[in-house]
Amino acid sequence: MDHEADAYRTDLMTITRFVLNEQSKYPESRGDFTILLSNIVLGCKFVCSAVNKAGLAKLIGLAGETNIQGEEQKKLDVLSNDVFVKALVSSGRTSVLVSEEDEEATFVESSKRGKYCVVFDPLDGSSNIDCGVSIGTIFGIYTVEHSDEPTTEDVLKPGNEMVAAGYCMYGSSCMLVLSTGTGVHGFTLDPSLGEFILTHPDIKIPNKGNIYSVNEGNAQNWDGPTTKYVERCKYPKDGSPAKSLRYVGSMVADVHRTLLYGGIFLYPADKKSPNGKLRVLYEVFPMAFLMEQAGGQAFTGEKRALDLVPKEIHERSPIFLGSYDDVEEIKALYAAEEEN
């Protein structure tokens, strides 16, 4: 990359400009989605800044409470959740919010209600804060059926009804990856401008990858198809090279790498977690939405992930997502097991 030439580039496509351009394609649009997204972007910038200062500000200690998933909350989790809830409510464009950190859905007071529901994990992978590993925010957006009296039914919808999804990764750089249903685009935060700049337009995942990503510490509890698939990754019988294992343990980081380099990310059900570990609304759905938009697939072991209909806001599901051909392979193994 020619950094000198880059420094003098003046025609920068910021995320705001990008979304406004998209909005102009819909003459009937009132700009509500643009306003909502700009508030999400502000939340991401705030959390990015807080994550960068975490060690200095002594924010990394435990907050002393346990969230509804039974995980000890870090102070940054609490802070990030507050930031996003306030940013989303103050946008005046939301009716229902579902956060990983809150047991119940948040219903916005009638004077500030809008036509969107947002489901989000304010700080995914927060157990990695202490060691400086990439963490992130994941979000998905639905339109609400009846904004006058919203209920949890407005978010208990299949992922294929989402209108947008994305994540923001706080790592060596701060990157926001977004899809509004017309492809996937990546924006990198330029700290000198305080703006997210389009750096990865129209991301397409390779059809096949040479990386698999799974917590092999759970291998003794896996079902047959997952065990067979991972065995094939390590000891291919068709003469192809073995796949490399890469597992960060932070979903945003693992999915981000999978999206850019190809391969497969697996978090299967096992004997300890028969329903899987990852939450459907704000982890599985947004990442599945992005994968499909980038040309990949997402599968639960039974069906297409986006066709799941959640019954509870914190429901969990197994997930296999990534390159089209790699996911096709695991689907075939599950189909073969059903036939037997």
Side-chain angles (χ1 to χ4, degrees), residues 77-232:
D77 290 27
V78 181
L79 179 70
S80 306
N81 192 46
D82 288 350
V83 165
F84 277 102
V85 169
K86 285 177 177 145
L88 291 165
V89 170
S90 66
S91 73
R93 301 299 182 275
T94 57
S95 282
V96 189
L97 309 178
V98 172
S99 165
E100 193 227 15
E101 300 296 338
D102 296 326
E103 191 166 352
E104 304 291 337
T106 300
F107 295 99
V108 179
E109 60 183 273
S110 54
S111 62
K112 292 180 180 170
R113 265 183 214 151
K115 65 176 183 181
Y116 293 106
C117 303
V118 183
V119 292
F120 60 100
D121 185 343
L123 205 60
D124 183 72
S126 54
S127 59
N128 284 317
I129 295 166
D130 293 15
C131 59
V133 166
S134 295
I135 51 182
T137 298
I138 310 170
F139 60 90
I141 302 171
Y142 288 103
T143 49
V144 71
E145 299 294 316
H146 315 287
S147 53
D148 50 335
E149 229 17 88
T151 67
T152 47
E153 297 305 311
D154 288 306
V155 287
L156 294 176
K157 295 193 281 198
N160 54 37
E161 291 186 29
M162 273 186 175
V163 293
Y167 61 80
C168 188
M169 185 176 71
Y170 315 111
S172 53
S173 60
C174 178
M175 188 164 173
L176 197 149
V177 175
L178 172 72
S179 175
T180 55
T182 53
V184 181
H185 305 278
F187 303 82
T188 305
L189 183 64
D190 181 336
S192 61
L193 295 173
E195 288 280 7
F196 280 99
I197 309 296
L198 180 64
T199 50
H200 295 64
D202 201 20
I203 298 169
K204 292 285 178 224
I205 186 170
N207 272 339
K208 196 168 178 61
N210 58 3
I211 296 172
Y212 73 103
S213 184
V214 66
N215 181 356
E216 289 218 45
N218 294 328
Q220 63 178 359
N221 297 315
W222 289 342
D223 62 13
T226 301
T227 306
K228 273 185 205 154
Y229 181 77
V230 172
E231 194 72 11
R232 276 189 199 177

Side-chain angles (χ1 to χ4, degrees), residues 205 213 254-265 291 321-322:
I205 186 170
S213 184
D254 282 315
V255 170
H256 186 66
R257 183 199 54 249
T258 306
L259 192 62
L260 296 184
Y261 298 168
I264 188 165
F265 170 82
M291 277 298 164
L321 54 77

